[in-house]
């Protein structure tokens, strides 16, 4: 297991659509190591998720985990989940306004509309089928990570650029209001 460097906005790897993996490739030592490194790097950086292009690997793999996260202390918990070749299907047209940040976009946060409810289909790290529904704030996290596989960063989806702020100004100006919004989303969707 090794920590990898995290690609920063401006590097072309973040703007290339990642390619799917075959099951044989997934089970190869190279890709298994890549996934172990992806998880370790996510943990080290206190990320809620990390996608393979963010560690300079253009394949359709991402990891998500939310525990006690110092970057996002208000987020509902998500157990460690590895998605390989994920497909997200919105189950509603309803959206909510999420305040996002990204390890590849230093010191910037902004508001992004995300679907409230999604079906997630993918393989796990060992190639087992995953098929589940995610809702609310957690659904936003899944959409953010899978966007990375399609070369999309959250800033591309910020509809009102006046919502952009530094992490310090988020804490000062927006945190309390957003936590109230999160509470009402969690109350409705349970996550
Ligand atoms: Zn990101």
């Amino acid at each position: 297991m090794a920590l990898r460097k995290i690609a920063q906005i401006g590097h072309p790897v973040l703007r290339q659509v990642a390619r799917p993996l075959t099951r044989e490739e997934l089970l190869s030592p190279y890709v298994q190591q890549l996934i172990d490194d992806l998880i370790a790097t996510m943990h080290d950086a206190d990320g809620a998720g990390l996608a393979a292009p963010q560690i300079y690997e253009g394949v359709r793999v991402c990891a998500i985990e939310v525990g006690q996260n110092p970057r996002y202390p208000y987020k509902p918990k998500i157990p460690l989940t590895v998605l390989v070749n994920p497909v997200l299907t919105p189950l509603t047209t309803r959206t909510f306004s999420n305040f996002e940040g990204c390890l590849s976009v230093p010191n910037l946060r902004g508001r992004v509309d995300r679907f409230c409810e999604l079906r997630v289909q993918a393989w796990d790290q060992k190639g087992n089928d995953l098929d589940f529904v995610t809702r609310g704030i957690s659904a936003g996290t899944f959409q953010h990570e899978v966007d990375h596989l399609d070369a999309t960063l959250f800033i591309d989806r910020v509809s009102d650029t006046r919502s952009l702020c530094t992490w310090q100004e988020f804490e000062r100006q927006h945190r309390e209001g957003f936590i109230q919004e999160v509470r009402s989303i969690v109350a409705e969707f349970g996550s």
Side-chain angles (χ1 to χ4, degrees), residues 144-187:
H144 178 114
E145 295 312 324
V146 173
D147 266 355
H148 276 297
L149 309 181
D150 292 319
T152 298
L153 300 175
F154 82 91
I155 49 167
D156 306 333
R157 296 195 186 276
V158 170
S159 51
D160 181 357
T161 51
R162 288 170 297 184
S163 74
L164 290 169
C165 60
T166 63
W167 281 70
Q168 186 177 60
E169 292 304 333
F170 175 81
E171 293 294 325
R172 287 176 175 166
Q173 315 291 343
H174 303 292
R175 185 178 196 272
E176 282 312 310
F178 184 57
I179 283 175
Q180 294 303 320
E181 295 173 35
V182 168
R183 285 206 183 103
S184 68
I185 293 163
V186 171

Side-chain angles (χ1 to χ4, degrees), residues 49-51 54 72 100-105 144-145 148 152-154:
L50 197 62
Q54 293 181 275
Y72 305 99
E100 300 193 7
C102 179
L103 292 170
S104 294
V105 182
H144 178 114
E145 295 312 324
H148 276 297
T152 298
L153 300 175
F154 82 91

